Amino acid sequence: TATASAQAMREALIVVSNRLPFVLKPNEEGQLVRKLSAGGLVTAVAPVVARCNGLWVGWPGIFLEPGQEEPTIPESEDTHATSFANLLSNQIVPVFMEKVQFDQFYNGCCNGTFWPLFHSMPDRAIFFADHWKAYLEMNQLFAMKAIEAVERLMQKEKDILPLVWVHDYHLTLAAAIIRKLATEKGIRIKLGFFLHIPFPPWDIFRLLPWANQVLEGLLGCDMVGFHIEDYCLNFLDCCQRQFDYKVDKKMFMVDHDDRRISVRPLPIGIPFDKFAQMAEEAPRVVKESRQKIILGVDRLDYTKGLVHRLRAYEHLLTKHSKYIEQVIFLQIAVPSRTDVKEYQDLKEEMDQLVGKINGQFSTANWSPIRYIYGSISQAELAAFYRDAAVCVVTPLRDGMNLVAKEFVACQIEEPGVLILSPFAGAGEMMHEALIVNPYEVDSAAETIHRALSMSLDERQVRMTHLRKREKMNDVNAWTVGFLKAMDSSMLGETVPV
Ligand code: G6P
């Protein structure tokens, strides 16, 4: 049968994501070199692309001047054999954009419209037709590049079954366009999509003037993956209520265009062993061991609940003055999307609030908050995670949140306590964390107090369970899960387990 012969074909993975596994930066001589991104996605997926001789389609992080010729992608300077994102330049399909396109597509539509809306914060969302037009054009461009990638692989190996895996909210329209182009060319492919952020309920989703196109775009796939069941149900509900499509909320299926699309919860994990290893090796970075560290690590983003978190800490110091000079709140805020106004406003607000709280509670030898606005190295991060007594992960809304997972992976010494928001995907499964509603500032303060005074026994029991679960469900398990849900024959052969 057709299916049986397709099963026998060798599959090759083509990943399509807004960012490539690296960005290009000019070095001192002005030559472009790669700077690797250290995300979990890259760690897990790049080796699969490498092993099956696949391709990665994405933006290399630089702009072209109008009319400028596309630069060639340099090979990696990092010749370390185990380096995870060392895809050869012939495994990369770059998608270049001009600054204007970037402004309207990435700053405007992706981060001005999709990001706040999908995080159920519609008041922060902006809706402009020219942003949407750029979004559509960029999705068309990514789709065209993906088809070029497919054809390139098929030139080398005729009997190949391309498995195209599209990622995240930047590219919700791409799958349907890829399917259309492939059909026109008579190419058979498998198409999957994974959304790394929440999928909102219908009463929020329908605020998007282009809601129909987005659903049609995603339904271009054979399989659509979300982190948790709630997001799957929201998506199914949207398909039903927006279009009246036949959906099965038990089997997680949508029927559309004579095809059956499956919808799957696939919670992403982290490279657990890699973090644990880094924690083993990292030198101690915070010297004042006398003071307990309360740690926060986030991109500076309004979804992360940073202002609420600082208010909770202020509350703690007011109500429990015994913590004065006994604890330090170390907040790392990684600059993000700095062209977008909402992010600039948040930076201002944080600067002021940190100043206010430090001014109010500091003594001659101590300040309550140590605030780092910048990126830190992976080794330093692992050390912070390892040495913290409490890690506060209290987003107002978050697709999954990997900080919660990285923290537990690095807790290899005396265990600390994880405080987690129920509004992060991670809150669905990390039950042994102390769960707190970040909007409820006084309750969050009491939860920090509870964490700081928790017995060693209780901390040990909780942390042991948390670590065990994250080690089992690491990012490799997630990649395997996605490929399994795609009914892929690449399993076993090419996936590192
Ligand atoms: C979230 C998104 C990713 C994105 C990351 C960093 O995790 O799901 O797609 O890459 O944020 O944001 P940035 O805008 O810098 O890519």
Side-chain angles (χ1 to χ4, degrees), residues 18-19 106 111 115 168-170 196-197 299 336-337:
N18 180 49
R19 289 183 184 277
Y106 173 84
N111 295 320
W115 182 267
D168 229 354
Y169 62 101
H170 315 89
H196 293 259
I197 66 174
R299 275 186 312 101
S336 179
R337 305 172 193 166

Side-chain angles (χ1 to χ4, degrees), residues 354-419:
V354 169
K356 175 180 164 284
I357 298 172
N358 273 345
Q360 188 179 343
F361 294 97
S362 284
T363 63
N365 302 311
W366 174 82
S367 297
I369 305 172
R370 201 168 290 180
Y371 180 57
I372 302 179
Y373 174 68
S375 310
I376 58 166
S377 73
Q378 289 282 103
E380 216 175 346
L381 181 64
F384 286 148
Y385 282 144
R386 181 196 58 208
D387 299 341
V390 179
C391 185
V392 227
V393 181
T394 49
L396 305 177
R397 197 93 186 102
D398 208 334
M400 173 53 73
N401 195 294
L402 300 181
V403 166
K405 301 185 170 213
E406 292 168 6
F407 169 66
V408 304
C410 291
Q411 284 275 295
I412 54 169
E413 295 182 354
E414 184 188 319
V417 180
L418 173 64
I419 297 181

Side-chain angles (χ1 to χ4, degrees), residues 169-462:
Y169 62 101
H170 315 89
L171 297 171
T172 59
L173 307 179
I177 309 172
I178 296 173
R179 178 173 295 279
K180 184 165 166 281
L181 293 173
T183 310
E184 283 167 9
K185 289 173 184 279
I187 302 173
R188 182 167 185 256
I189 55 173
K190 280 190 190 176
L191 262 163
F193 180 92
F194 188 82
L195 186 72
H196 293 259
I197 66 174
F199 194 91
W202 189 58
D203 58 350
I204 299 279
F205 182 72
R206 65 195 296 216
L207 301 178
L208 187 68
W210 311 285
N212 287 1
Q213 288 97 310
V214 169
L215 289 182
E216 290 285 356
L218 297 174
L219 291 171
C221 288
D222 300 298
M223 198 272 289
V224 185
F226 300 94
H227 287 300
I228 58 173
E229 254 186 47
D230 271 351
Y231 308 157
C232 294
L233 288 170
N234 286 344
F235 176 71
L236 291 167
D237 198 43
C238 285
C239 291
Q240 190 174 45
R241 298 174 79 174
Q242 190 82 17
F243 290 137
D244 210 13
Y245 284 167
K246 190 167 160 272
V247 309
D248 185 330
K249 289 184 181 165
K250 288 213 175 73
M251 297 301 289
F252 283 39
M253 303 275 197
V254 188
D255 286 329
H256 168 53
D257 251 5
D258 297 328
R259 288 183 301 114
R260 172 155 285 190
I261 295 102
S262 60
V263 177
R264 288 286 169 273
L266 296 160
I268 199 168
I270 55 154
F272 185 96
D273 293 333
K274 185 174 151 248
F275 272 95
Q277 178 76 30
M278 284 194 301
E280 294 275 356
E281 291 163 1
R284 226 155 276 287
V285 276
V286 183
K287 298 288 185 291
E288 305 88 336
S289 54
R290 202 172 55 81
Q291 289 153 351
K292 285 190 175 169
I293 300 168
I294 304 167
L295 178 68
V297 180
D298 308 82
R299 275 186 312 101
L300 189 67
D301 196 303
Y302 52 80
T303 57
K304 302 292 181 183
L306 292 166
V307 169
H308 293 74
R309 193 183 302 167
L310 285 179
R311 293 265 179 233
Y313 183 56
E314 183 184 26
H315 216 79
L316 175 82
L317 296 178
T318 310
K319 292 235 352 232
H320 300 274
S321 54
K322 67 172 187 183
Y323 289 122
I324 304 255
E325 293 190 339
Q326 301 306 310
V327 297
I328 292 180
F329 178 30
L330 176 58
Q331 175 64 52
I332 296 153
V334 181
S336 179
R337 305 172 193 166
T338 48
D339 296 337
V340 180
K341 180 157 187 315
E342 294 279 327
Y343 291 75
Q344 295 165 354
D345 292 348
L346 177 62
K347 160 100 176 34
E348 284 293 307
E349 192 177 0
M350 285 294 286
D351 286 350
Q352 281 186 19
L353 194 53
V354 169
K356 175 180 164 284
I357 298 172
N358 273 345
Q360 188 179 343
F361 294 97
S362 284
T363 63
N365 302 311
W366 174 82
S367 297
I369 305 172
R370 201 168 290 180
Y371 180 57
I372 302 179
Y373 174 68
S375 310
I376 58 166
S377 73
Q378 289 282 103
E380 216 175 346
L381 181 64
F384 286 148
Y385 282 144
R386 181 196 58 208
D387 299 341
V390 179
C391 185
V392 227
V393 181
T394 49
L396 305 177
R397 197 93 186 102
D398 208 334
M400 173 53 73
N401 195 294
L402 300 181
V403 166
K405 301 185 170 213
E406 292 168 6
F407 169 66
V408 304
C410 291
Q411 284 275 295
I412 54 169
E413 295 182 354
E414 184 188 319
V417 180
L418 173 64
I419 297 181
L420 186 56
S421 159
F423 313 127
E428 288 282 299
M429 33 240 151
M430 300 181 82
H431 309 295
E432 301 81 2
L434 296 185
I435 305 288
V436 71
N437 180 341
Y439 289 95
E440 219 184 326
V441 167
D442 52 358
S443 161
E446 285 311 310
T447 307
I448 302 176
H449 168 55
R450 189 178 156 205
L452 287 167
S453 39
M454 189 184 285
S455 73
L456 178 59
D457 273 3
E458 185 174 350
R459 279 182 277 144
Q460 247 153 5
V461 172
R462 287 175 185 270

